[in-house]
Amino acid sequence: MSADLSPEILALLKDPTTLIPAIAQDVNTREVLMLAYMNAESLAKTLSTGRATYFSRSRNELWVKGETSGHFQNVHSIALDCDGDALLISVDQVGAACHTGDRTCFHQNIGISS
């Protein structure tokens, strides 16, 4: 429900009716933890609760990160990119970010490393 977001935030979003890629980043280490998706409703819930809430494409419903695992993401800040179609969420990650139990979902290096 985009009505849960303020008109000012809605105006910043490229299309408040679509899913928005949301990158979760550790507030202290700046490590990229995961990529998920938000809709206007999950963004509004995240802003009001301070807990990362995403939209599950496979289940077609909202989910609070850590609701079943206990691995919550406490949100410190949310930044919108210049096009209004992607979010960077700075979080304090409690436990693993990845559903596999790894700290980050980006743990499989397949290419160039420096």
Side-chain angles (χ1 to χ4, degrees):
M1 303 268 181
S2 59
D4 294 335
L5 288 174
S6 72
E8 294 82 14
I9 293 175
L10 283 171
L12 295 173
L13 298 176
K14 183 174 185 177
D15 183 353
T17 66
T18 63
L19 292 179
I20 306 165
I23 301 163
Q25 182 181 43
D26 186 281
V27 67
N28 297 309
T29 67
R30 299 294 192 207
E31 181 179 26
V32 174
L33 300 172
M34 58 179 271
L35 168 70
Y37 292 87
M38 289 184 154
N39 61 10
E41 184 180 4
S42 63
L43 178 55
K45 187 169 181 183
T46 298
L47 289 167
S48 68
T49 65
R51 288 262 170 110
T53 303
Y54 300 104
F55 183 83
S56 170
R57 296 178 299 163
S58 61
R59 295 187 310 259
N60 199 34
E61 65 185 15
L62 298 186
W63 59 280
V64 177
K65 178 68 176 163
E67 196 169 55
T68 57
S69 67
H71 299 170
F72 290 97
Q73 291 178 342
N74 299 310
V75 177
H76 285 258
S77 65
I78 301 175
L80 186 63
D81 79 337
C82 58
D83 295 322
D85 62 1
L87 298 165
L88 179 61
I89 305 170
S90 180
V91 302
D92 177 24
Q93 178 68 49
V94 177
C98 188
H99 70 278
T100 64
D102 287 289
R103 169 149 176 78
T104 173
C105 292
F106 296 96
H107 58 274
Q108 298 183 67
N109 189 355
I110 61 168
I112 300 168
S113 63
S114 49

